[in-house]
């Protein structure tokens, strides 16, 4: 009997390894061809001269004072944005985790809308609020565009949901009776929170802070619109060196610097995620929320609602208001102007960008769901260095310069059998790279929750791996799959960094159209940019509200 078991175990292990490798094959090939190859090609183009590598160019570029200033500002504003976001969003995480109040589900969706909005729309919304002729300018003559405060506030707007959902998801599962017991033993409210709750929350806070830092460190659209010529992050500088100065060597060096920084951030983030998963296993999984009690809790709820109204809802409301504020009075004049191609900016009417974006996003969603679904299924088969490395690979597109990826597509995918520069599929491929991590992060927890014995029983009965997935996993993860597809769709719809390079003039996407309109002077172009941004905001908001209705996990996590 023991001999039979020892023989079956290796066969089972080999079969699981073969299944895992089979699931990983397509995602690895996809990332190798459409991520690693273009990025390597653009870096090689910048650092190679006459076939020889010039690594000394790295020191030459980093020695330039203007480049050091870009590196300093990129790091400084990311740290400041992260600290400010945590300061403002942590009370919101507590409110969503502990309190039950009318409209909570809708408000959670509203809080998440900014996160899935394109950075171009976020920049445009704050431009309408703090820029020339904006609300602050009209009321008090105050303009904050081209100042660091506008960038910081826009980053808080964009990343508020990251903290609320990541920290609030764990906070909602912590047993409040532990903190109450500490207070009964004589600890003050702050001491009980610091010694009991904060240590349990620290993995989630660290994970949220790292993600906010990652998103702000690689910020592009927000800084490009609000920073003007004064402020530039690494991502903006890579775009400027590539498309305006045509200095590929400098762009390649900056890409390497950003790649190394992002790799370090993701490595630390993976460690915090493992700590967070351990913390989740040590806490109660069901804690009943309740309505606020006492003046203090009601004041906290009111303060959080006020901050959401001012920081999140007001910029979006001003965006809508500016799209309707036409020279002849409030109306839909700017929306009607979108049907005309007489502006000279586009070869087609700007409104065509809506259809283009929807088509591209649907194709990108299909690609992301297939690649991300296979990757998530592979990650549920045991753990190890290979699996952790594969997981890190899937996250890299969130931090590596999208500008580099987009320009790399033009450089690398220009010869058979991968001559895709004139093909429409190029845009969905670039968008899918950003959508895959969201699919994996959404589906992976659900797949890991499926009882592995069910898969084993189906395999023993002769089911193939594909049939096991179709008969066992799919019925249990169908809702998670829909949610993953929705997030991939919203993210693909707003992708800008790579698309700005590869979208054809006769087929612009919504973010590219908005950026081009903002780049031209004139009230008509500005109004049309506001109108297109409003349309894009509404589409993303509707998609997110639908996701909130079908999700079964109410802890608030992504």
């Amino acid at each position: 009997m023991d001999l039979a078991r020892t023989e079956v175990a290796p066969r089972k292990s080999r079969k699981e390894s073969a299944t895992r490798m089979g699931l990983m094959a397509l995602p690895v090939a996809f990332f190798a061809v459409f991520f690693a190859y273009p990025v390597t090609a653009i870096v090689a183009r910048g650092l190679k001269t006459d076939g020889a590598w010039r690594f000394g160019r790295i020191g030459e570029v980093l020695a330039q004072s203007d480049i050091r200033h870009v590196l300093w500002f990129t790091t400084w504003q990311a740290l400041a944005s992260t600290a400010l976001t945590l300061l403002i969003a942590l009370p919101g995480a507590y409110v969503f985790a502990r309190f039950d109040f009318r409209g909570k589900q809708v408000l959670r969706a509203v809080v998440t809308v900014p996160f899935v909005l394109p950075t171009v729309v976020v920049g445009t919304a704050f431009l309408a609020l703090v820029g020339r002729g904006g609300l602050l300018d009209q009321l008090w003559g105050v303009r904050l565009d081209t100042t660091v405060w506008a960038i910081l506030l826009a980053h808080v707007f964009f990343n508020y949901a990251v903290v609320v959902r990541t920290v609030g998801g764990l906070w909602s599962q912590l047993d409040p009776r532990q903190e109450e017991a500490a207070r009964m033993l004589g600890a003050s409210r702050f001491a009980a929170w610091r010694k009991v709750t904060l240590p349990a929350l620290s993995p989630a806070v660290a994970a949220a802070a790292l993600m906010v830092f990652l998103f702000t460190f690689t910020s592009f659209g927000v800084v490009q619109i609000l920073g003007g010529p004064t402020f530039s992050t690494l991502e903006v500088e890579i775009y400027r060196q590539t498309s305006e100065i045509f200095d590929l060597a400098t762009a390649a060096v900056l890409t390497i610097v950003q790649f190394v920084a992002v790799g370090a951030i993701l490595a630390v983030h993976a460690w915090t995620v493992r700590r967070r998963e351990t913390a989740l296993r040590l806490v109660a999984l069901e804690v009943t929320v309740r309505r606020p009690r006492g003046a203090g809790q009601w004041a906290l709820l009111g303060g959080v609602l006020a901050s959401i109204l001012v920081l999140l809802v007001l910029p979006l409301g001003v965006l809508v208001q500016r799209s309707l504020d036409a020279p002849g009075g409030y109306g839909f004049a700017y929306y009607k102007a979108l049907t005309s191609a007489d502006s000279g900016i586009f070869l087609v009417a700007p409104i065509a960008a809506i259809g283009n974006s929807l088509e591209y996003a649907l194709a990108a969603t299909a690609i992301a769901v297939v690649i991300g679904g296979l990757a998530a299924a592979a990650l549920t088969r045991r753990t190890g260095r290979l699996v952790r490395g594969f997981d890190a690979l899937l996250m890299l597109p969130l931090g590596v310069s999208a500008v580099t990826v987009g320009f790399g597509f033009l450089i690398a995918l220009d010869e058979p059998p991968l001559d895709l520069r004139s093909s429409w599929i190029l845009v969905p491929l670039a968008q899918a790279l950003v959508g895959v991590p969201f699919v994996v992060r959404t589906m992976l927890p659900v797949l890991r929750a499926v009882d592995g014995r069910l898969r084993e029983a189906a395999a023993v009965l002769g089911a193939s791996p594909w049939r096991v997935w179709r008969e066992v996993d799919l019925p249990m993860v169908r809702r998670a799959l829909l949610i993953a597809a929705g997030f991939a769709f919203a993210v693909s719809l707003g992708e800008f960094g790579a698309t700005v390079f590869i979208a054809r003039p006769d087929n612009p996407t919504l973010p590219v159209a908005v950026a081009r309109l903002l780049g031209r002077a004139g009230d008509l172009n500005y109004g049309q940019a506001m109108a297109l941004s409003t349309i894009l905001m509404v589409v993303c908001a509707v998609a997110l509200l639908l996701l909130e209705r079908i999700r079964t996990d109410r802890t608030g996590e992504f």
Side-chain angles (χ1 to χ4, degrees):
M1 180 69 70
D2 293 337
L3 180 60
R5 287 180 178 177
T6 57
E7 291 177 352
V8 170
R11 287 201 300 268
K12 180 180 177 182
S13 178
R14 287 194 296 270
K15 187 174 181 180
E16 288 182 352
S17 298
T19 301
R20 183 172 64 247
M21 295 303 294
L23 291 170
M24 291 171 57
L26 184 58
V28 168
F30 177 79
F31 274 82
V33 174
F34 298 113
F35 178 69
Y37 177 47
V39 171
T40 302
I42 191 67
V43 171
R45 180 69 65 94
L47 294 183
K48 268 189 173 183
T49 302
D50 298 327
W53 288 92
R54 293 185 58 216
F55 292 108
R57 179 62 176 158
I58 297 177
E60 296 173 5
V61 171
L62 296 181
Q64 300 174 19
S65 59
D66 55 338
I67 297 299
R68 291 201 305 270
H69 175 74
V70 169
L71 291 171
W72 163 247
F73 176 74
T74 301
T75 306
W76 177 86
Q77 64 83 26
L79 289 171
S81 297
T82 302
L84 190 60
T85 303
L86 289 174
L87 179 66
I88 295 174
L90 281 176
Y94 175 81
V95 165
F96 279 101
R98 291 291 191 229
F99 294 164
D100 184 25
F101 52 90
R102 189 185 300 273
K104 180 179 176 179
Q105 182 179 343
V106 174
L107 189 62
R108 180 182 289 129
V110 170
V111 165
T112 313
V113 166
F115 179 73
V116 299
L117 285 179
T119 55
V120 171
V121 174
V122 175
T124 306
F126 273 82
L127 192 65
L129 179 63
V130 303
R132 174 182 57 84
L135 181 63
L136 297 185
D137 191 13
Q138 294 177 4
L139 294 179
W140 299 293
V142 175
R143 288 183 57 185
L144 295 178
D145 60 322
T146 70
T147 69
V148 71
W149 276 109
I151 295 172
L152 296 181
L153 291 175
H155 285 161
V156 173
F157 171 89
F158 187 76
N159 294 293
Y160 186 94
V162 176
V163 177
V164 167
R165 286 184 173 263
T166 303
V167 180
L170 178 57
W171 210 334
S172 66
Q173 299 177 54
L174 294 179
D175 192 344
R177 292 172 296 186
Q178 297 177 359
E179 188 173 323
E180 293 170 0
R183 296 200 61 195
M184 290 182 64
L185 293 174
S188 65
R189 183 183 296 274
F190 177 74
W193 181 83
R194 180 172 57 86
K195 294 182 179 180
V196 177
T197 304
L198 183 58
L201 282 178
S202 58
V205 174
L210 285 168
M211 289 309 297
V212 173
F213 183 85
L214 174 64
F215 290 138
T216 53
F217 187 83
T218 58
S219 183
F220 177 50
V222 167
V223 178
Q224 186 186 39
I225 292 175
L226 296 176
T230 307
F231 303 106
S232 180
T233 58
L234 271 174
E235 187 84 353
V236 175
E237 188 64 20
I238 291 171
Y239 175 77
R240 191 174 75 88
Q241 295 288 341
T242 302
S243 63
E244 298 177 8
I245 304 179
F246 303 108
D247 187 349
L248 293 185
T250 299
V253 170
L254 296 181
T255 297
I256 293 173
V257 171
Q258 182 166 305
F259 186 84
V260 171
V262 167
I265 295 169
L266 289 178
V268 178
H269 179 264
W271 176 72
T272 62
V273 167
R274 289 195 295 272
R275 286 187 60 207
R276 182 163 164 263
E277 290 176 349
T278 302
L280 278 173
R281 291 194 290 269
L282 298 176
V283 299
L285 295 180
E286 292 293 340
V287 176
T288 304
V289 296
R290 53 180 171 79
R291 294 183 64 80
R293 299 174 183 174
Q297 292 187 355
W298 280 107
L300 177 61
L301 176 60
V304 169
L305 294 178
S307 66
I308 292 174
L309 179 64
V310 173
L311 290 173
L312 306 185
V313 178
L314 181 60
L316 298 179
V318 172
L319 179 65
V320 176
Q321 180 264 333
R322 293 302 300 274
S323 73
L324 297 172
D325 188 10
Y330 281 95
F332 295 95
Y334 290 138
Y335 291 87
K336 294 178 181 176
L338 296 176
T339 61
S340 173
D342 297 334
S343 63
I345 302 178
F346 305 102
L347 299 178
V348 295
I351 199 171
I354 300 174
N356 296 335
S357 289
L358 292 175
E359 291 175 0
Y360 288 145
L362 287 173
T365 300
I367 297 171
V369 166
V370 172
I371 300 298
L374 290 173
L379 291 172
T380 59
R381 265 70 175 181
R382 295 189 176 186
T383 59
R385 292 183 179 180
L386 177 63
V387 173
R388 287 197 295 269
F390 179 58
D391 194 9
L393 170 68
L394 300 174
M395 292 291 289
L396 281 178
L398 290 181
V400 173
S401 170
V403 171
T404 300
V405 174
F407 197 60
F409 270 32
L410 296 181
I411 297 294
L413 306 181
D414 62 342
E415 296 179 358
L418 291 174
D419 187 4
L420 302 177
R421 286 188 300 177
S422 60
S423 174
W424 67 273
I425 197 64
L426 205 60
V427 174
L429 287 171
Q431 294 174 343
L433 283 172
V434 184
V436 167
F438 288 91
V439 174
V440 174
R441 296 272 77 82
T442 303
M443 294 187 64
L444 191 56
V446 182
L447 283 170
R448 284 177 173 168
V450 176
D451 192 341
R453 291 172 296 183
L454 297 176
R455 300 189 185 101
E456 294 174 1
V460 168
L461 294 174
S464 64
W466 164 245
R467 188 173 181 184
V468 171
W469 160 257
R470 181 166 52 88
E471 300 290 343
V472 177
D473 293 75
L474 184 59
M476 296 185 179
V477 302
R478 186 177 290 113
R479 281 178 177 263
L481 186 63
L482 291 175
I483 294 171
F487 270 113
F489 176 80
V491 171
S492 300
L493 198 65
E495 204 288 322
F496 174 64
T499 309
V500 70
F501 276 99
I502 56 182
R504 293 162 53 183
D506 56 340
N507 286 292
T509 63
L510 277 170
V512 172
V514 170
R516 289 180 183 173
L517 287 167
L518 287 176
R520 298 288 291 268
D523 292 337
L524 179 60
N525 292 327
Y526 183 83
Q528 289 183 93
M530 296 294 167
L532 280 179
S533 297
T534 300
I535 292 172
L536 188 51
M537 176 193 71
V538 170
V539 173
C540 290
V542 169
L544 196 62
L545 287 171
L546 291 175
L547 293 182
E548 283 295 327
R549 291 185 63 86
I550 66 175
R551 68 184 294 139
T552 56
D553 175 22
R554 297 304 176 190
T555 62
E557 295 182 76
F558 285 111

